[in-house]
Amino acid sequence: MKSSRLLLALLAVGTVTSASAQEKVLNLYSARHYQTDEALYANFSKQTGIKINRIEAKEDELLERIRNEGANSPADIFLTVDAARLAKADELGLFAPVKSKLLEERIPANLRSPDWFAFSTRARVIIANKETVKADDVQNYEDLANPKLKGKVCSRSGSHPYNISLMAALIAHVGEARAEEWARGVVANFARAPKGGDTDQIKSVAAGECGVAVSNTYYLARLLRSDKPEDRRLMERVAIIWPNQKSYGTHINISGGGMLKTAPNKESAVKFLEYLASDDAQRYFADGNNEWPAVASVAVKNPALEAMGKFKADSLPVATLAKNAVAAQRIYDRAGWK
Ligand code: FE
């Protein structure tokens, strides 16, 4: 009698425990696919006991999926790279505002909005072939439109978010009319029609097929840190230039995310965002992909980033980039920057 009651009590406790254990999950939709992120997520589960169910896909697919799932979407967090992409999710009304003292304290104001947070930054720099282009001639983004560089500029598509965000920054600094003039000038300097990703531009510049291009810093760092000697040799032929050091600074983009409006596990979601701003997570998140932590007090020891040196970063709020994204795409379209 006694023992069966005890058994019932134990069963009841067991049921309650497993029910609450079931609640401790976080459904993460991530467009980041870096192997180094594994440790980042495992560490969160270890610290909080919250299990992460992760779905990784391309950002547009994830956004489409979240929209299709609607109110029933299991997604708690959407993580992605690039301000323009975060802006897109925000514009679609997918994010819920997150109020967190910790996030407000740790993430600088220019790297967040009420709806999303940046957790790492990357710079978009000019790269030049050391033999065919003088670094002095390409100290600013504006210089890429100089007729001197006719037939020397290579680029990835104008529709790519990295270039959209760069244009969005230019719009903020010089206005739409001059930004469009710039785009037309760069298009007139193209060595070839836009194609490939940033790494393709680096390789083409190293090979001398192109004189100049722009690239995100982590692609350069990846080659600088590569195990393959041929990758490092490639970088010997490429000059890295921090653009606009005497004016508004080098354009910065971000990797970040936010909590979804329909998130079923809101508490876990906020915990996860706060975790990403912690010292440990910042190191994984940024350094794993050769980026800089968004939290200023977190130092990373990354030889490739250190080799690139210090620079003045554009302090434009990332939210401004997001706001100018549509105007930026229109300018590329009008300028014929396919
Ligand atoms: Fe990238």
Side-chain angles (χ1 to χ4, degrees), residues 132-294:
T132 63
V133 169
K134 274 189 263 155
D136 280 351
D137 288 341
V138 282
Q139 291 295 307
N140 306 287
Y141 297 114
E142 287 87 337
D143 298 335
L144 298 176
N146 189 327
K148 235 190 200 175
L149 294 177
K150 196 156 190 66
K152 289 196 169 160
V153 181
C154 285
S155 175
R156 74 191 299 167
S157 166
S159 294
H160 192 275
Y162 300 160
N163 279 343
I164 301 248
S165 290
L166 173 60
M167 175 61 81
L170 266 175
I171 292 172
H173 291 301
V174 305
E176 276 195 48
R178 277 178 63 197
E180 182 163 344
E181 215 176 285
W182 174 78
R184 288 181 191 281
V186 178
V187 169
N189 283 342
F190 276 166
R192 60 170 190 220
K195 66 169 182 185
D198 284 8
T199 304
D200 298 307
Q201 315 308 319
I202 301 169
K203 288 182 175 166
S204 301
V205 166
E209 209 184 315
C210 315
V212 277
V214 291
S215 168
N216 282 357
T217 36
Y218 56 89
Y219 293 111
L220 295 160
R222 226 177 259 172
L223 292 170
L224 285 167
R225 287 179 88 173
S226 173
D227 298 333
K228 296 185 196 145
E230 62 264 33
D231 285 345
R232 297 196 301 272
R233 268 201 303 274
L234 217 66
M235 291 308 296
E236 285 164 18
R237 296 193 283 268
V238 175
I240 301 171
I241 298 143
W242 298 107
N244 297 76
Q245 293 303 284
K246 288 181 180 152
S247 54
Y248 43 82
T250 298
H251 168 63
I252 291 296
N253 208 327
I254 55 159
S255 175
M259 177 172 81
L260 296 155
K261 211 190 262 171
T262 49
N265 307 292
K266 290 209 163 62
E267 208 179 300
S268 297
V270 174
K271 259 192 204 150
F272 182 71
L273 293 174
E274 290 180 337
Y275 162 77
L276 289 182
S278 69
D279 284 8
D280 275 355
Q282 279 284 291
R283 267 179 224 120
Y284 281 123
F285 198 90
D287 193 34
N289 188 40
N290 299 302
E291 296 176 77
W292 291 279

